Amino acid sequence: MQDINIKITDRNGVTHDVVAPTDMAMNLMEVVRSYELAEEGTIGICGGMAMCASCQCYVNSDNKLPEMTDDEDAMLAEAFNVEDNSRLGCQIQMTPEMEGLEVTLAPEI
Amino acid sequence: MITTDILIIGAGPTGLFTVFEAGLLKLKCHLIDALPQPGGQCSEIYPKKPIYDIPAYPEILAGDLTHKLIEQTKQFEPGFTLGERAETIDKQEDGTFIVTTNKGTKHHAKIVAIAGGLGSFEPRKPLIPNIADFEDKGVEYIIKEPELYRDKKVVISGGGDSALDWAVFLTDVASEVTLIHRRNEFRGALDSVEKVQELKNLGKIRMITPAEVKGIIGTDKVTGVAVEKKGEDAFIIDTDHFIPLFGLSPKLGPIANWGLEIEKNAIKVNNALDYQTNIPGIYAIGDVNTYPGKLKLILCGFHEATLMCQSAYKRIFPNKKYVMKYTTVGGVDGFDGTRKEAPKAVVKAIE
């Protein structure tokens, strides 16, 4: 088992140092949920299927992220508050390559 | 007035299975759902996604699951009020309830079971500061009556199937159709994208990309929209209607104002007993409820529906004794006159 260290800035602007496991098939949205960094019911509404954009985040570090799928790209085309560094948290798996990841949660819609 | 024993708000998997469990107890059900068809999130958002944790189904598509659930309920002849949102609830002196929808349809029930999942699906509204001032005054998030746009100027915003399809449709109705999207690429059915391209080439659709509507112009009603296009100064387009089509988002909706105890966007229930809310006679089951240890899984919704129906029965018939029977033993008596039962073993004397 290998844990990784990531920084998540919540919707109130508070940055949290978070330790995330890489052996539980978790994605970033699930990490946010497990640490309760966003109010229940406001993140991962679709369950992590790239269908709601409630887990949109801005990636501030230069980690090599998984390539964006068509579904994620389509969802971000419809979402609000989208920036060039926007990704859906549900599509970012916690792997050793995510060590040092820094993200900011997009505003709730 | 529609009358029933149990009024179920939400026709997703949990709501549908409630019909079956209530039916075993000879209780009639009626369902209200804001969506135009039963099935909830499973049929609206991800009908083609496989689900792997339904008991006895190693894999089943969400749409197929809801189809089978609907089949299972048919023998108990549930009623449906679809495309309407439960708006208000009034408790009567005798402990029953009257629930009225946003279209004024009234339902009288002994028990209300909220199986609303994530809530009712409502249009996602773009972040335009004054947009709320113009709702139903030229801003519409859903096209209900296309004739409203006859010979009018229309601006549609969005890049999905809905925006594409309505842009195509309205070229035959409106005097002018403008489609604005934040990207140059559209993520819709290929047919729809090609049709929009064709109409654009014919000059029947004006396309502005990559661009966003950032403001609405008008006093009593919409007269124009302010547009920001990359690399250009902001400009205004004259229009009679602005139709933002950005999909649907689930909201708890008017249920949040019913006096129920809410915690983190979910309804608190007594899970140790029967999933009843703080208002006697109103239950909340499935993803819409919360209690210590809650898991938002379809199979948990089925379990909660089963226990809730037993409690509802006791509430409706406080003096009747009910003994739980297995369907393998007692069979299933449908309200439609059908009866299902296990075949009886042949008993024959041996001479």
Side-chain angles (χ1 to χ4, degrees), chain A residues 6-18 28-29 32 37-38 43 53-63 65 76 80-90 92 94 100-108:
Chain A
I6 59 180
K7 286 184 189 291
I8 301 170
T9 302
D10 66 23
R11 288 167 175 155
N12 297 315
V14 179
T15 300
H16 305 264
D17 290 308
V18 168
L28 181 62
M29 175 271 285
V32 173
L37 301 182
I43 188 161
S54 61
C55 63
Q56 185 193 167
C57 62
Y58 308 120
V59 178
N60 306 316
S61 56
D62 56 3
N63 295 69
L65 300 175
L76 286 170
F80 304 126
N81 296 311
V82 176
E83 304 289 344
D84 290 342
N85 59 342
S86 284
R87 291 295 301 262
L88 298 182
C90 67
I92 300 176
M94 293 295 97
L101 180 72
E102 294 182 19
V103 298
T104 301
L105 302 184
E108 182 194 349

Side-chain angles (χ1 to χ4, degrees), chain B residues 189-233:
Chain B
L190 188 59
D191 278 0
S192 306
V193 177
E194 287 177 348
K195 186 73 183 164
V196 168
Q197 178 72 61
E198 186 185 323
L199 290 165
K200 183 202 169 194
N201 295 343
L202 291 169
K204 292 190 172 179
I205 291 179
R206 174 167 52 164
M207 204 119 82
I208 304 175
T209 62
E212 283 185 81
V213 173
K214 291 288 190 179
I216 297 169
I217 317 297
T219 47
D220 293 338
K221 69 180 295 303
V222 174
T223 57
V225 290
V227 180
E228 285 184 10
K229 184 175 186 319
K230 274 188 182 168
E232 291 184 14
D233 291 334

Side-chain angles (χ1 to χ4, degrees), chain A residues 59-80:
Chain A
V59 178
N60 306 316
S61 56
D62 56 3
N63 295 69
K64 184 169 168 36
L65 300 175
E67 201 168 326
M68 200 179 285
T69 61
D70 283 350
D71 285 346
E72 182 179 1
D73 191 39
M75 190 64 247
L76 286 170
E78 292 282 279
F80 304 126

Side-chain angles (χ1 to χ4, degrees), chain A residues 45 49 73 76-79 81, chain B residues 124 127 159-160 182-183 187 250:
Chain A
I45 289 169
M49 291 182 282
D73 191 39
L76 286 170
E78 292 282 279
N81 296 311
Chain B
R124 296 221 321 256
L127 306 168
R182 199 173 58 233
R183 295 184 179 189
R187 292 281 182 186

Side-chain angles (χ1 to χ4, degrees), chain B residues 97-223:
Chain B
F97 300 91
I98 292 178
V99 172
T100 307
T101 69
N102 59 325
K103 292 187 180 170
T105 310
K106 290 188 180 297
H107 308 75
H108 185 215
K110 299 181 180 86
I111 298 289
V112 172
I114 301 171
L118 299 168
S120 58
F121 286 81
E122 306 200 355
R124 296 221 321 256
K125 302 178 181 180
L127 306 168
I128 299 171
N130 58 347
I131 195 162
D133 300 338
F134 292 97
E135 288 173 358
D136 296 324
K137 296 173 185 170
V139 170
E140 292 93 31
Y141 304 107
I142 295 174
I143 295 179
K144 294 174 188 162
E145 181 45 69
E147 279 303 309
L148 181 67
Y149 308 102
R150 174 72 62 189
D151 301 327
K152 299 283 172 59
K153 293 178 183 173
V154 172
V155 171
I156 295 173
S157 185
D161 279 314
S162 193
L164 291 164
D165 292 346
W166 280 114
V168 170
F169 183 89
L170 289 178
T171 53
D172 288 334
V173 178
S175 63
E176 190 178 297
V177 176
T178 304
L179 180 58
I180 297 175
H181 181 39
R182 199 173 58 233
R183 295 184 179 189
N184 292 318
E185 302 82 23
F186 286 82
R187 292 281 182 186
L190 188 59
D191 278 0
S192 306
V193 177
E194 287 177 348
K195 186 73 183 164
V196 168
Q197 178 72 61
E198 186 185 323
L199 290 165
K200 183 202 169 194
N201 295 343
L202 291 169
K204 292 190 172 179
I205 291 179
R206 174 167 52 164
M207 204 119 82
I208 304 175
T209 62
E212 283 185 81
V213 173
K214 291 288 190 179
I216 297 169
I217 317 297
T219 47
D220 293 338
K221 69 180 295 303
V222 174
T223 57

